[in-house]
Amino acid sequence: MSLDIETPDPPELSAVDPNEYEDAEVAGGEYRREELSAFLREGAWEEAFTEWAADSNLDESDWRIVEDLELVSRFDFFWDSFADRVGYHAPGIPEDWKEREYHADLDSWGSVSAINAGLTELGQVACDVLKEEYIDWESEYEAPDDLPDFDA
């Protein structure tokens, strides 16, 4: 399946400590958001979005809900130097969406699940694109000298 839509603007990255998110645990405190934000604006976001949309299971009505709720703007990306990776927090629709009347066109758990899963996939694709094609800095982690040599 493919989602044929215009690429939204990349998210503005926040100064939130990633450890405050339920879905992230990050060691260190240098998150390099300014550099990641620059990479997103310089093409990483468009590249990731295009790749994601080509295989997305979301339909256009679900995407309109994402746009109406401005969910893309709530993505966060950060550098995790300990794991030598780009981490992310994907926005989503809360479990109590029905009670809160979160969106008028949101009427099924299927749509909620599709949107949440789709945004999670988009976040991962963006992380992969950033790491593989934009980031060239070295992790500050150095292995101890007393590790066994497994190459022998």
Side-chain angles (χ1 to χ4, degrees), residues 147-152:
L147 289 178
D149 183 11
F150 293 110
D151 293 336

Side-chain angles (χ1 to χ4, degrees), residues 64-91:
R64 278 193 298 279
I65 294 170
V66 170
E67 287 179 324
D68 289 350
L69 295 172
E70 299 178 349
L71 293 176
V72 169
S73 68
R74 297 185 359 224
F75 266 102
D76 190 18
F77 296 94
F78 46 86
W79 179 246
D80 182 349
S81 60
F82 184 76
D84 192 37
R85 69 177 180 95
V86 177
Y88 72 101
H89 172 73

Side-chain angles (χ1 to χ4, degrees), residues 24-92:
E25 189 173 321
V26 181
E30 179 61 37
Y31 304 123
R32 302 184 92 148
R33 284 193 173 99
E34 285 183 25
E35 292 151 293
L36 293 173
S37 186
F39 292 148
L40 290 169
R41 287 189 310 272
E42 291 167 6
W45 179 254
E46 184 169 356
E47 185 177 334
F49 191 85
T50 300
E51 180 181 326
W52 169 80
D55 294 324
S56 178
N57 290 324
L58 285 184
D59 61 29
E60 290 184 24
S61 64
D62 287 339
W63 184 254
R64 278 193 298 279
I65 294 170
V66 170
E67 287 179 324
D68 289 350
L69 295 172
E70 299 178 349
L71 293 176
V72 169
S73 68
R74 297 185 359 224
F75 266 102
D76 190 18
F77 296 94
F78 46 86
W79 179 246
D80 182 349
S81 60
F82 184 76
D84 192 37
R85 69 177 180 95
V86 177
Y88 72 101
H89 172 73

